[in-house]
Amino acid sequence: MKKMVSVPFMTLGILFVVCLIVSNFLETKVIQIGPVTSTAGLLVFPLSYIINDCISEVWGYRKARLIIWCGFAMNFVAVALVQLSIILPAAPFWEGGDSFNMIFGMTPRIVAASFAAFLTGSFINAYVMSKMKISSQGKHFSLRAVVSTIAGESADSLIFFPIAFFGLIPSDRMALMVVTQIALKSLYEIIVLPVTIRIVRYVKKIDGSDVYDTQVSFNPFKIRQL
C-alpha cells in the first residue's frame, strides 16, 4: 500500500474539505425555488459525495476514511473559530455585529446534526462504493456511484433534519424536505456522472492506482490504517 500522497489525491482531498466547510454554513438557510424547499447546502454538498466516490474508487476505503476524518476535523476547526469570533466583543464603531452573528451563528443543535449526518453518510457512501466494487469486480462504476450516493445521502438527510429542525419545522414539511433532499442530491449525482466518470478514468491513468479493498477493515475508527 502506497504511503505517498499524490497530487490528484491531495487536490481532491482539499476540494472535499472546502465543500464541507462551505456547505456547513449554507445548511443554516432554508431556500424555496417554486414548490421545492431545501437547505442552501444543496448547492455544494453533493460535490463531497462525488469526490468521496472518486477517492473510494481510485484509492480505496482507507484513503476515503482518511479524507472523511480530515474533513470532519477541519470542519470542527472552522466552526470553532467562527464561534470564537462571535464571542469576542465587536469594535464599538463596527455596525455589522448583529448581521455577522445571524449569518455565522450556528446553534449547537445545527453543529451536532451536521457533524453526525456527515460522518454517517460519508462512511456509508464509501462502504457501499467499496463493497460493490469488489462484488462487481470493478465493473458498473455508474451504478455503484449512484447507489452509494443514494445510500449516503439518505442516511445524511434522515439524521440531519430531525436533529436540526425537530420542533422548529412541521413534521410533514420536514418529511417532504428529507425526501426532496435525497431526490435532488441523487439527481445531482446522475447529472454530473459523465464528468465523474471522466475524472475517475483520468486520475487512474495518471496516478496508476485502482484499489480493491479485499483485505481492509471497514471500521471507521481505524484511522491509523492509512
Side-chain angles (χ1 to χ4, degrees):
M1 183 64 64
K2 292 182 179 180
K3 294 295 184 180
M4 296 177 61
V5 174
S6 66
V7 173
F9 177 76
M10 181 180 66
T11 302
L12 287 175
I14 293 172
L15 184 58
F16 181 81
V17 173
V18 170
C19 288
L20 290 178
I21 292 175
V22 172
S23 66
N24 205 39
F25 294 111
L26 295 183
E27 289 287 355
T28 59
K29 180 176 181 179
V30 178
I31 61 175
Q32 183 167 344
I33 302 176
V36 178
T37 302
S38 178
T39 59
L42 177 66
L43 300 174
V44 65
F45 190 75
L47 289 175
S48 66
Y49 277 82
I50 295 170
I51 297 171
N52 193 335
D53 286 342
C54 293
I55 293 175
S56 300
E57 173 69 16
V58 178
W59 295 284
Y61 183 84
R62 287 182 177 180
K63 295 300 185 184
R65 178 169 54 200
L66 170 63
I67 289 299
I68 290 170
W69 281 114
C70 284
F72 176 84
M74 294 304 100
N75 213 351
F76 182 85
V77 170
V79 171
L81 290 175
V82 169
Q83 296 307 307
L84 177 61
S85 69
I86 292 175
I87 294 173
L88 292 174
F93 57 83
W94 188 54
E95 299 179 354
D98 291 339
S99 298
F100 182 89
N101 294 345
M102 181 183 69
I103 295 173
F104 292 104
M106 298 179 64
T107 65
R109 184 174 178 178
I110 293 289
V111 173
S114 177
F115 284 172
F118 158 67
L119 284 177
T120 304
S122 295
F123 277 117
I124 288 177
N125 182 81
Y127 175 82
V128 172
M129 189 73 179
S130 180
K131 283 292 190 180
M132 288 186 68
K133 182 177 182 179
I134 296 172
S135 63
S136 67
Q137 298 180 340
K139 300 177 182 179
H140 312 303
F141 171 77
S142 298
L143 177 63
R144 291 186 279 116
V146 172
V147 171
S148 63
T149 295
I150 292 175
E153 295 286 9
S154 297
D156 182 280
S157 297
L158 287 170
I159 291 174
F160 176 78
F161 282 97
I163 296 177
F165 298 117
F166 182 77
L168 302 176
I169 296 177
S171 298
D172 58 339
R173 174 65 66 176
M174 182 165 32
L176 180 60
M177 289 177 67
V178 169
V179 174
T180 301
Q181 284 275 96
I182 295 171
L184 291 179
K185 289 178 179 179
S186 300
L187 180 61
Y188 194 135
E189 166 80 28
I190 294 172
I191 292 174
V192 303
L193 191 55
V195 178
T196 306
I197 293 172
R198 285 171 173 76
I199 292 174
V200 168
R201 288 176 178 171
Y202 177 73
V203 171
K204 284 183 177 181
K205 181 179 179 180
I206 65 174
D207 194 79
S209 182
D210 189 9
V211 174
Y212 287 77
D213 297 310
T214 54
Q215 295 181 336
V216 172
S217 171
F218 289 95
N219 184 340
F221 298 103
K222 286 192 175 182
I223 55 177
R224 291 187 178 182
Q225 292 186 1
L226 303 181

